[in-house]
Structure formats: structure tokens, C-alpha cells
Amino acid sequence: MSRIVTLLLLACGLLLSSACQKAPVIPAPQLQALPTQEILNRADAAWTAEDYQQSLTYYGEAQNRTDLSGQKRALSYERAARSALAVKEYERSLQSLRGWAGFDAKVRQTWPWNEYYATALAGSGQDDQLQDFLAGLIVSRQTTWDVRRNAALFQADHFLRKDRPMAAVPALREVYDTAPNREAKASLEQTLLVRLLDLDDKQAIGLLEVGEGQELTFPYSVMRLAAAKRLAETKPKQWDTAWRELRVLLTRGRFADDSLPRVTLRALESQRGAPRTGIALAVPLSDKIGVIGWKIVTGANIAQKQLALQGLNVEVRVVNTSRPGWLNDLNALPPGFTVVGGPLLRSDFQQIVDSKLTRERVFMTFLQSLGELDEGRDAWRFFASPQDQVRALLDLAAGKFGLSEFAVLTPQEPFGTYMTEIFSQEVWDRGLTMAAYGTYPPKTHTAWGGKVAELLGLESAASPGKSGQLPPEPGFRAVFLPDGWTQAQLLAPQFYYYDAEHTLLMGSELWSQAIIGGTDADLNYFGLAVCPGPWWAQSQRSAVRELTRRMADENRGQPDFWHALGYDFVRFAANLGNLPGGWDRKAINERLSTAPAMDWSLAPMSWSQSGKARQDLFLFQPSRKGLVPVDAQELFTKMQQVKQRHDERMELNRAKLEQKAKTANPVLQGAAQ
């Protein structure tokens, strides 16, 4: 409700003295007999005394006088309209407003006239007419932005009073998006926040549900800010929830006035303090694999110190899974340490499952898969999966290069079979074609050339030049090689030997792990080769630079993937916030799927609404100095060039073979005679 109308309505409700208990209005004949100036004098006196019934009578009569001057006539229309609003005679208010606009057309370009008119429509129950009227103002480019802004706010007030906040969103967004500048947007945010904070507790806190699942843009950002503030102020036991919501708005919300979430959060933290976030790590710290565990802990400690500088109270506790009795240590963690990063080994995870600890804590495992367990219900992943590797490769080959036929050449062992199944499934799911499958004995290197020949459709592994025929074109342009880098160095030359140098070679993450620091392989065979990976040490992302700088300051050398894993996990878990008592899997999945945006040092991760993790892996090409990120356009151009040279060479060879056949034919005929 507008400020002006609120004041008018309160006036008669609060003043029980003579201000609102006035003498009866004089009969119409006596009124008509009064001179115009006397009518105006009595009208002004009634207006000043806040006797709006008398004011309406006298100003209403003044409108009928032909000897009323222009300025006084306009004032009579205005005060008659406002007096009618005060005494809830809405139809009379509408009549006076129309008369005012008919007398002075420019008045319709001002907000006061439009506010009075909208208030009268609302008071008279003409809801459809009200919405049409406001909608016309909001979308009109003939009125000023200030009028459109106020119309949207009026509409928002109307819908909020009716518990229909979602209905207020389109108009608010329209005027926000068309605001003339950032300052205007900031003003709209501030005004809306004030109005939302005037709602009762139930309505205000309910705005959290309105914004659930929505982008944190206006007006949802302001709605959720008002809701979080009211939640913190009225429900002390839910301070952790409110604090997390405010942190989300601070880090991910889009505000023209970014001080709104910051000032709100600081004010509440000064009263209640920042909640302590407990984070656990379950990693090995001894034996050979302990080196990896210590790297994860180092990255985690750096993240903890960084968060402390940002005012976040985060405590990290480490459970050494190499130590006897470590399950008891894990079970003995304080209740606040609900989120656990790890374990790193599948055998350790199986012990956790067997001990039923997954029912008590949220395990974000550092595993590629959870095996037989249901991801998103029994536990979660904070690690790339084989599906992520395949997805990254096909996003490039099919999504950007437009390739549709693929092949797999895999070692005859469980890992190769597993990766082939995943690759084939993803190809089929995308409506693409698996044109060829091939396998090779992993330890019999001498047989690998023949296996490549079979994959390419050659009848034998003999040199193509000795067969007297051109090799057939394979029915694919890309082949997946799910084996290590050492094996790839033996397989890749075979594709060149059999004139398939234009084939895109797609490796697994095993390649990037092996060549991250550089390689002395013959890179001539890997000009059209790519492999996925979660870590890029030379990235210019601020998180990578910050991790690198802090490790250098502590004389800990250069970071690698495992340092980054611990660093990202603690920062992510801190943003995830404390879990409320009685948490369930649905609540965890909701938090994961709506987690605040983060500056990742690793390839970014995200979670579906069912809790399934996905990591958008980097794609690399091998180089002498290590991994080089793929330039998709450059690589595609190179593929086209190599294919063109291949076709030209094949055409030249075809011509040579035909000429050779013609030359040999007379000789053969003479021999026959």
C-alpha cells in the first residue's frame, strides 16, 4: 500500500476526537447557494482538519462551479479524489481523477495521479481493471521510467498482500531490465527490500521458497535476501541456514547494489557471530600412498587459512585411514563434522559402508565411482568419473567437430572393457554410430599392428604398398584408445603406417597424468590427439594463481592435482555450509545442486538434483613441455588440412596404380599368346 494512502486511512482510524467526528454536511440546496469562494474556504478548512467527508463534499461542489480558476479547479479535483480515497468512496475518487485528467492531460504522466487511480481501482475491487491499468503503465515507453518503476512496485505490493509473490516477478523484472542506469537498478533493489521487510514473518520467510531453484537475479535475489534476514532475526535455531543463504547471495547473487547482502550479513554476524563450519578429511597419511594424502591435507590447510582471512570460521579435522582404528576416529568426530572428504581408496570406502557410517555422515568420496552403491543416496563423489572423460571427448569430436562415426581400440583387460562400455553407451545415447570395435593383447606388442589393420578394415597387416591396392577408407574419423600413454606411443604410429593419419586419436585421463610434466615421445604421431584431465597447472584462473602463490609463500613447491583437490574441497564444503539437524539425502542433493558458484582450481564440478556429480574436464594435447589446452578451432582446421592431404595422396596413388595396370596389361597379353 502506498505511503500517501496509508497515511490517509490511518488518519481517521487514529483520530477519534473532533478531527474525524465532524458535523453533518449541509443540505445540497444550501451548499449550492454558497458563493464559490465560501465553498473553497470551507473545503480548505475541512482538508486542513482532516475531515475528509466534508472535504469531499465541498471540493466536489467546487468542481461544478464555472467561475473556478484553472489552478483551483485542478486542486479541487485532486483533493476530492484523495478525500474520497480516505473515506473509501472509490467510485467518486475515480470520477474526480478522470475529471482531473480531462482538465489537465499532463497529469497522467505523473506518478501521484496514477497511484491514486490504482488505489481507487484496488479499493473498489476492480482487480482485472487494476492489472490492465498497471500493465499498460509498466510496458509503456511513453511514460517515464520512474512511473513505470512505481507501477511495478504498486503491483508487487498488491500481489504480496494476496500471498501471490510470483505474480509480482514479471513486472519487477521488466522495469529492472529497462532501468536507465545501475543507480536506478540499485534504487529499485533498495526500495523493494524495504517493502518486503514490512511483510509479516510467515510471508517474508516464505520468499525463500519463491526463489528456490531460480537464478539469483532481480527480483529473486532481493526476495531471498529479505527472507534470509527475517529468518535470522526471528528463528535463532536456524541461524546456520540463514547464514548459508546470505553467503550464497553474497558470493553468487547479482545485485546492482552489492552492499545489500554484504551489509546485511555483517550486521547479523556482529550480533550472532559466524557459524563454525566443521569439515573432515579421511585420507591415508602413511605408507606409500600417504604422500598423496599429505598433499590433499596441504591444499586443505591453505584453503582453511584463506577462508579465515575472509572471516569464515572453518575447522578441518583429518582422519588418517592408514592408522589402525581409524574407523573409530571417524565415528568419534563431533556432531558438527557432518561432511567428510574421502576416502581415497575403494577398500577404505568399503569398510565405511560395512560399518554403516554412511548413515551418519555425508561422504564426498575421492573415487571415480561408488561401485554398487547409489550415488546421491548412499554417498557422493568429489572426483571425476570415466563418464566425465568420455563426455569431454565426445563434446569436442561430435559437438564441435560434427563427427558421427567412432571406433574403439582397447586392451583385452577389465579396464579396457569397462571404458569401452561407457564410451559405447555415450555414443549411442547421443544418437551417434559405433562403426568399429577392436581389441589387442596388452602384453603382446608385436600383434598390435595387425589389430590396428583389422580395425581399419584391412585384410592383412602387410604393408599397404605391397598389396597393389589402396587401403579402404575406415568408417570412422575418431578412435578412442582407453589405455596408458606408453601404450599409445606404440599404437599411434600404426595409424600412420596404415594411411589413417587423418584419424582423431582420443586418449583417456591416463595420458594427461603421464605427460603433465612433459614427454619425449615422437609427437609427429600425435598432431591429431586429445586427452582429458582435471588439472591445468598453467591456468590463469585466480584460484590456481592463489594456490600457487600461497604454496610458494610456505615453501611447499608447485601445486599438483592432489593439492588442488584438497584446496577445492574445503572451499566447496565451507560454501555448502553446516547441515541442519535431521538432514536427509534430498536436502543434501538440493544443497549440492544449488551450491554457490566457486572459482575452482580444478576443472569445475556440479551436481544434478539427484546428487550425481559431473566434472567438466579440460581437454589437452601432448607437448614437449607438458599439456597444452586444446584450441578447438585450430585443431579442427588441422584435421581438415590433414584429411585433404590424405585424399590428394590417395588420389595420386590411385592414378599410379591405374597407370601401372595399363602398362602391365600388354605384357600379360603377349605372354598369353
Side-chain angles (χ1 to χ4, degrees):
M1 183 175 295
S2 71
R3 176 180 57 83
I4 295 174
V5 176
T6 300
L7 291 175
L8 291 175
L9 293 177
L10 285 176
C12 286
L14 297 176
L15 300 178
L16 300 179
S17 61
S18 61
C20 285
Q21 298 176 1
K22 302 299 180 181
V25 178
I26 64 175
Q30 296 180 28
L31 187 66
Q32 295 168 1
L34 292 174
T36 298
Q37 188 57 51
E38 179 63 21
I39 291 291
L40 292 177
N41 290 341
R42 293 191 182 193
D44 292 345
W47 177 264
T48 302
E50 298 178 352
D51 184 351
Y52 297 114
Q53 190 65 62
Q54 295 253 30
S55 172
L56 174 59
T57 298
Y58 289 121
Y59 281 123
E61 173 61 25
Q63 296 171 16
N64 300 324
R65 301 300 175 97
T66 58
D67 59 341
L68 199 64
S69 66
Q71 185 176 1
K72 291 181 179 179
R73 182 173 295 279
L75 184 64
S76 295
Y77 279 125
E78 177 186 354
R79 288 186 175 178
R82 293 170 64 182
S83 297
L85 286 177
V87 296
K88 300 183 180 180
E89 293 193 27
Y90 300 115
E91 285 299 334
R92 290 196 63 183
S93 180
L94 290 170
Q95 292 171 9
S96 292
L97 288 166
R98 291 171 187 139
W100 186 10
F103 176 74
D104 180 7
K106 293 182 180 179
V107 75
R108 297 196 64 169
Q109 300 301 313
T110 67
W111 173 241
W113 186 92
N114 286 286
E115 182 181 22
Y116 303 146
Y117 199 86
T119 303
L121 287 173
S124 62
Q126 301 180 57
D127 197 65
D128 290 342
Q129 293 88 333
L130 172 63
Q131 297 313 317
D132 290 343
F133 174 71
L134 293 173
L137 289 176
I138 291 165
V139 301
S140 173
R141 294 301 188 268
Q142 305 304 314
T143 56
T144 66
W145 183 81
D146 283 337
V147 171
R148 297 172 57 232
R149 165 190 183 272
N150 287 322
L153 288 168
F154 190 102
Q155 188 187 69
D157 286 338
H158 180 78
F159 284 129
L160 288 167
R161 289 197 307 274
K162 292 178 177 292
D163 285 328
R164 295 175 57 197
M166 282 298 292
V169 170
L172 290 169
R173 178 174 287 167
E174 165 70 19
V175 296
Y176 187 84
D177 290 344
T178 57
N181 49 50
R182 187 180 183 88
E183 289 72 21
K185 290 185 176 182
S187 175
L188 181 55
E189 291 172 348
Q190 296 157 7
T191 303
L192 179 61
L193 179 61
V194 170
R195 298 195 181 198
L196 295 177
L197 291 174
D198 280 339
L199 298 174
D200 62 42
D201 292 344
K202 182 179 179 180
Q203 286 177 318
I205 294 173
L207 293 174
L208 279 177
E209 296 181 4
V210 174
E212 184 176 333
Q214 303 291 339
E215 290 294 325
L216 291 180
T217 55
F218 185 87
Y220 297 112
S221 54
V222 178
M223 289 178 170
R224 289 178 63 167
L225 179 59
K229 186 175 188 297
R230 183 63 59 81
L231 183 67
E233 291 171 341
T234 61
K235 298 183 181 297
K237 291 184 179 180
Q238 295 193 45
W239 166 228
D240 284 359
T241 301
W243 179 84
R244 173 184 171 272
E245 180 70 15
L246 290 168
R247 284 288 305 171
V248 169
L249 291 166
L250 181 63
T251 58
R252 203 175 101 204
R254 294 171 60 183
F255 292 85
D257 180 4
D258 55 13
S259 70
L260 290 179
R262 184 174 65 255
V263 169
T264 303
L265 179 60
R266 286 179 178 175
L268 290 168
E269 284 183 341
S270 68
Q271 300 170 12
R272 306 180 183 279
R276 187 190 72 169
T277 301
I279 301 171
L281 284 171
V283 294
L285 298 178
S286 53
D287 302 326
K288 292 182 179 180
I289 200 172
V291 174
I292 292 177
W294 278 112
K295 287 182 177 182
I296 295 173
V297 171
T298 297
N301 288 336
I302 289 174
Q304 181 183 15
K305 294 173 185 176
Q306 181 177 331
L307 293 171
L309 293 175
Q310 298 172 6
L312 298 181
N313 186 6
V314 177
E315 181 180 354
V316 178
R317 294 197 181 185
V318 181
V319 173
N320 179 6
T321 57
S322 299
R323 177 182 176 275
W326 64 271
L327 284 172
N328 294 329
D329 296 339
L330 190 59
N331 194 39
L333 287 170
F337 290 78
T338 306
V339 179
V340 182
L344 189 60
L345 299 178
R346 186 169 297 279
S347 57
D348 291 341
F349 183 55
Q350 189 59 53
Q351 292 186 62
I352 290 172
V353 173
D354 293 342
S355 300
K356 306 292 191 296
L357 290 179
T358 55
R359 300 177 182 178
E360 306 297 327
R361 303 185 192 277
V362 176
F363 286 89
M364 303 288 292
T365 66
F366 302 150
L367 300 170
Q368 289 190 340
S369 75
L370 300 186
E372 298 298 321
L373 294 187
D374 186 359
E375 183 181 347
R377 185 178 68 85
D378 301 312
W380 291 262
R381 279 189 302 111
F382 198 86
F383 211 81
S385 68
Q387 287 85 352
D388 292 331
Q389 299 180 45
V390 168
R391 190 183 301 115
L393 293 169
L394 289 176
D395 283 348
L396 178 74
K400 294 185 178 180
F401 293 172
L403 305 184
S404 57
E405 291 85 23
F406 297 88
V408 176
L409 183 60
T410 183
Q412 297 165 348
E413 57 185 6
F415 174 77
T417 301
Y418 175 59
M419 292 299 292
T420 297
E421 291 175 354
I422 292 173
F423 185 85
S424 300
Q425 186 64 54
E426 184 69 18
V427 167
W428 291 329
D429 288 346
R430 295 185 184 218
L432 307 172
T433 301
M434 282 300 304
Y437 291 93
T439 64
Y440 55 89
K443 296 183 179 180
T444 310
H445 298 169
T446 55
W448 290 9
K451 297 300 182 179
V452 172
E454 290 177 12
L455 184 76
L456 295 172
L458 297 174
E459 294 181 359
S460 71
S463 171
K466 295 180 180 179
S467 66
Q469 295 180 345
L470 292 176
E473 277 294 322
F476 55 86
R477 286 289 306 280
V479 60
F480 181 44
L481 304 174
D483 209 339
W485 177 240
T486 299
Q487 291 78 7
Q489 293 178 66
L490 297 176
L491 289 168
Q494 301 296 333
F495 287 88
Y496 277 71
Y497 181 73
Y498 292 112
D499 291 311
E501 75 287 353
H502 55 301
T503 303
L504 179 67
L505 304 181
M506 302 185 297
S508 70
E509 189 186 335
L510 295 174
W511 290 20
S512 61
Q513 292 176 12
I515 61 181
I516 193 167
T519 179
D520 58 359
D522 188 345
L523 297 180
N524 290 322
Y525 297 118
F526 293 94
L528 300 181
V530 296
C531 60
W535 168 245
W536 178 25
Q538 288 72 40
S539 170
Q540 292 305 302
R541 292 186 177 190
S542 58
V544 176
R545 296 198 306 270
E546 186 67 13
L547 175 60
T548 302
R549 183 184 69 80
R550 290 182 179 274
M551 286 192 61
D553 290 346
E554 297 182 13
N555 295 317
R556 294 180 180 273
Q558 292 291 316
D560 64 14
F561 165 79
W562 299 108
H563 295 108
L565 180 64
Y567 179 68
D568 278 357
F569 173 73
V570 167
R571 292 187 304 124
F572 178 82
N575 277 339
L576 199 62
N578 293 327
L579 299 177
W583 58 268
D584 58 20
R585 269 58 186 169
K586 182 178 179 181
I588 303 304
N589 292 338
E590 171 65 21
R591 287 206 179 190
L592 289 172
S593 62
T594 61
M598 190 176 86
D599 183 17
W600 294 83
S601 64
L602 294 172
M605 296 190 70
S606 59
W607 284 261
S608 68
Q609 293 183 349
S610 61
K612 304 294 190 297
R614 168 181 177 143
Q615 190 167 26
D616 295 325
L617 298 174
F618 303 117
L619 281 178
F620 301 106
Q621 289 188 277
S623 77
R624 293 276 177 234
K625 296 182 179 180
L627 300 171
V628 176
V630 169
D631 183 322
Q633 185 57 52
E634 182 179 309
L635 181 58
F636 183 69
T637 299
K638 186 174 182 179
M639 281 185 63
Q640 298 298 87
Q641 293 171 344
V642 173
K643 179 65 165 64
Q644 182 178 354
R645 290 196 296 268
H646 167 83
D647 292 344
E648 291 172 351
R649 190 175 70 257
M650 291 299 101
E651 185 60 34
L652 181 60
N653 289 343
R654 180 178 293 105
K656 289 180 178 179
L657 288 173
E658 290 176 354
Q659 182 61 39
K660 184 177 181 180
K662 290 179 181 179
T663 303
N665 193 41
V667 175
L668 293 174
Q669 290 178 350
Q673 294 175 354

